[in-house]
Amino acid sequence: MKTSLEVLKQELLDNNIHLSHQRLKVLEYLIQNHNHPTVEQIFTDLHKDISTLSKTTVYNTLRVLEDAGLVRVITIEGTETRYDIEVENHGHFKCKSCGKIYDFEIDMNVLSSPDLEKFQISDKDVYFKGICPRCSQH
Amino acid sequence: MKTSLEVLKQELLDNNIHLSHQRLKVLEYLIQNHNHPTVEQIFTDLHKDISTLSKTTVYNTLRVLEDAGLVRVITIEGTETRYDIEVENHGHFKCKSCGKIYDFEIDMNVLSSPDLEKFQISDKDVYFKGICPRCSQH
DNA sequence: ATCAAGGTTGTAATGATTACAACTGTGCAG
DNA sequence: CTGCACAGTTGTAATCATTACAACCTTGAT
Ligand SMILES: [Mn+2]
Ligand SMILES: [Mn+2]
Ligand SMILES: [Zn+2]
Ligand SMILES: [Zn+2]
């Protein structure tokens, strides 16, 4: 399991990123909530514990984590930005009915195209949309 | 070539969508500009010809076209929404250096995952990011 | 000519994100 | 010890894309 707190803490230290109380809380939150939360969700939930927490800090922290490559930003819908602690390549499916985002396994190596021979690819995102099984059975 | 004006006009009529002057202009613009423009670009360029054009109309039209399945919305970057008249499945590569978005061929059929057996998939988006060849040769 | 429906327009409101300046805590030089 | 520098945090203001809304316009049918 790549998303253990200790491993991620070490990665932050390796990147010369100070482990502040707030940053650790955001990190823990993402590890415990793999449901691709929005900034609003992260802030609202953490604010219950840390009443002094600022939403700006959540934004700042997520940017730090993103730059360090510890979180992935999901923009499957232009209207909402979501965050994922799981950076290993996998796809995301969003149900148009219930709005839930599902992870799914996918072989990213198969996703090569001759058109991109000379391109340096650093990020691969695969987004599907449709209806999930739970919503299918009307 | 699927993106001929006549074919698209017929598709609009089939969907009971009135072919107003403004809508036709937006449609023509998308056909002539395959560079995945933003609303701002579409509006600014069309406004030169149609001085009375409202940005709201551009938004409205794009939504109508999207709902009719004639345009695809590209949210490769959470910060900008772009539009593509080409709805046939293909991938998009965004260069982190120059910002240009490239199309690339990809076999969407190979993009199936056993995890999604029971899912009804209606949209497949593949977004890559990195450095394009032009920017590579420093 | 009158009317209804749909389309367009301009402006106001919304909401997410960013900018910014003040504040806080920590570690080290003196 | 004491004060300073630096990084991180906070709250508020500003920004900017998008949406809501109401007035206006066009068109086609009665
Ligand atoms: Mn995920
Ligand atoms: Mn395209
Ligand atoms: Zn569902
Ligand atoms: Zn480039």
Side-chain angles (χ1 to χ4, degrees), chain A residues 25-53:
Chain A
K25 283 299 185 181
V26 171
L27 197 56
E28 286 176 15
Y29 184 87
L30 289 173
I31 292 173
Q32 285 158 19
N33 300 84
H34 277 217
N35 51 328
H36 316 97
T38 62
V39 166
E40 190 63 34
Q41 289 173 282
I42 298 169
F43 171 74
T44 304
D45 287 352
L46 287 183
H47 189 260
K48 292 168 190 162
D49 291 335
I50 320 166
S51 63
T52 61
L53 182 66

Side-chain angles (χ1 to χ4, degrees), chain B residues 46-76:
Chain B
L46 287 184
H47 188 260
K48 294 167 189 161
D49 291 334
I50 320 168
S51 63
T52 60
L53 182 67
S54 162
K55 198 180 281 185
T56 300
T57 296
V58 178
Y59 276 107
N60 289 343
T61 299
L62 289 171
R63 173 166 310 194
V64 166
L65 294 178
E66 181 193 354
D67 291 348
L70 293 200
V71 304
R72 154 193 298 236
V73 181
I74 297 172
T75 59
I76 190 170

Side-chain angles (χ1 to χ4, degrees), chain A residues 47-99:
Chain A
H47 189 260
K48 292 168 190 162
D49 291 335
I50 320 166
S51 63
T52 61
L53 182 66
S54 162
K55 196 179 283 187
T56 300
T57 298
V58 178
Y59 275 107
N60 289 342
T61 299
L62 288 171
R63 173 166 310 197
V64 166
L65 294 178
E66 181 191 354
D67 291 347
L70 293 200
V71 304
R72 156 196 296 237
V73 182
I74 298 173
T75 58
I76 190 169
E77 213 70 68
T79 51
E80 55 180 24
T81 307
R82 293 173 169 275
Y83 295 87
D84 193 347
I85 192 68
E86 186 58 63
V87 294
E88 294 302 313
N89 281 339
H90 64 281
H92 290 106
F93 175 98
K94 171 152 186 172
C95 176
K96 287 180 174 178
S97 174
C98 65

